[in-house]
């Protein structure tokens, strides 16, 4: 999910950059604004979902599972748990970024009505 969200964000960044360099409006129409808003919302919710799933798995890895023989994986693989923690932090950052983008689009839409 993170890779797909990153690709979408990169395309949006390149599109915005090219329009700014040409002194053209970044958002051409209300339809495009609604499409960007919908995509931002979808990716924001997907990143929250991915982050919450990763945090649940990390919690299980740190505590182990009491009723099975699965051990605490973070003692044996500390770098794995550290990487997951960084992944969760990036998921939170991505969510905030998509929320900010959505707020910008909503502001643009409200000013055009």
């Amino acid at each position: 999910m993170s890779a797909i969200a990153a690709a979408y964000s990169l395309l949006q960044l390149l599109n915005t950059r090219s329009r700014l360099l040409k002194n053209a409006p970044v958002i051409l129409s209300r339809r495009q604004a609604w499409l960007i808003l919908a995509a931002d919302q979808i990716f924001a919710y997907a990143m929250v979902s991915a982050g919450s799933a990763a945090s649940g798995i990390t919690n299980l890895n740190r505590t182990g599972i009491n009723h099975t023989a699965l051990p605490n994986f973070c003692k044996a693989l500390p770098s794995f748990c550290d990487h997951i923690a960084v992944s969760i932090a990036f998921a939170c950052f991505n969510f905030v970024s998509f929320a900010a983008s959505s707020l910008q689009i909503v502001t643009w839409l409200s000013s055009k009505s």
Side-chain angles (χ1 to χ4, degrees):
M1 188 63 236
S2 295
I4 294 169
Y8 166 76
S9 297
L10 181 63
L11 287 174
Q12 282 294 97
L13 179 66
L14 293 175
N15 185 25
T16 302
R17 181 178 173 267
S18 69
R19 289 193 179 155
L20 287 174
L21 289 175
K22 295 176 186 176
N23 288 328
V26 175
I27 301 171
L28 299 176
S29 67
R30 290 180 61 82
R31 184 176 184 185
Q32 180 190 13
W34 281 107
L35 182 65
I36 293 170
L37 177 63
D40 286 350
Q41 291 294 303
I42 289 168
F43 283 115
Y45 289 126
M47 291 309 298
V48 166
S49 178
S52 64
S55 67
I57 295 299
T58 302
N59 188 40
L60 284 177
N61 286 340
R62 287 193 192 282
T63 61
I65 300 174
N66 293 333
H67 56 38
T68 64
L70 290 175
N72 179 344
F73 287 109
C74 289
K75 286 183 182 174
L77 304 168
S79 65
F80 172 75
C81 290
D82 292 341
H83 286 107
I84 298 249
V86 170
S87 173
I88 293 168
F90 277 122
C92 292
F93 173 74
N94 286 339
F95 170 75
V96 170
S97 297
F98 282 121
S101 177
S102 295
L103 183 62
Q104 179 187 13
I105 295 293
V106 167
T107 303
W108 184 88
L109 282 169
S110 66
S111 71
K112 298 297 179 186
S113 54

